[in-house]
Amino acid sequence: MFRIEAEVDNERRDLLRSRLRDTNTAASPALAALRQSPAGREEPLHVWATDPSGALAGGLVGHTWANWLHVAYLWVDAPLRGAGLGSRLLRRAERIARDRRACTGARLETWDFQAPDFYRRHGYKVVCAIPDYPPGITEYTLIKPLGQ
């Protein structure tokens, strides 16, 4: 007999994550090899833009893992949008990922009202669209090869 609980428990979450990682690593020779390589370590990648007073004008937050850059957040202050700052942030992150971390691809998620066209202009292609996630919005997953 099992008791099923629905509660936030960070200690169990970490244990579950560890056990799942071990199970996946044992089941996949590719993952096992990756976990033994430098690419198997997740590394944060942050790029910031500040104005002359030091205030945040924009930024990109992501990480690299498995020779991929994953962009989690890219934001530019409203008055500065359309002036190329977002492009500069994205290109810098891609260059760091490619040149310093040997990444061969980049991936991200964006909603239909955010920036799918911006990313397409930068060579990203939609590989997944989830309509109504959240309701009334479509979420896109986009990828881009980071050729040498």
Side-chain angles (χ1 to χ4, degrees):
M1 191 76 169
F2 298 97
R3 183 175 71 194
I4 305 297
E5 303 171 28
E7 64 182 54
V8 174
D9 183 328
N10 292 335
E11 187 175 322
R12 286 188 208 174
R13 178 206 59 207
D14 293 344
L15 177 61
L16 184 92
R17 183 183 298 148
S18 174
R19 288 183 178 177
L20 180 60
R21 178 187 164 113
D22 292 347
T23 300
N24 290 343
T25 301
S28 169
L31 266 180
L34 174 64
R35 301 233 194 270
Q36 298 302 314
S37 75
R41 288 187 291 282
E42 185 177 306
E43 280 191 68
L45 197 159
H46 299 179
V47 182
W48 306 106
T50 55
D51 69 15
S53 72
L56 183 64
L60 181 149
V61 172
H63 68 270
T64 56
W65 179 75
N67 298 106
W68 279 78
L69 165 63
H70 182 196
V71 177
Y73 311 115
L74 174 58
W75 175 83
V76 173
D77 197 15
L80 304 171
R81 293 180 191 153
L85 184 55
S87 296
R88 290 177 59 196
L89 292 165
L90 184 60
R91 282 194 304 266
R92 174 71 65 88
E94 290 172 349
R95 191 168 45 252
I96 291 168
R98 184 189 62 237
D99 297 346
R100 296 186 199 166
R101 301 188 186 182
C103 289
T104 57
R107 66 176 299 249
L108 57 90
E109 297 82 28
T110 191
W111 286 324
D112 56 9
F113 67 88
Q114 288 178 316
D117 292 334
F118 167 82
Y119 293 114
R120 285 184 186 108
R121 286 193 304 274
H122 287 278
Y124 286 76
K125 293 190 182 348
V126 173
V127 295
C128 177
I130 305 172
D132 245 13
Y133 182 72
I137 297 170
T138 298
E139 181 181 88
Y140 296 101
T141 300
L142 296 96
I143 62 170
K144 174 184 177 178
L146 296 179
Q148 296 293 349

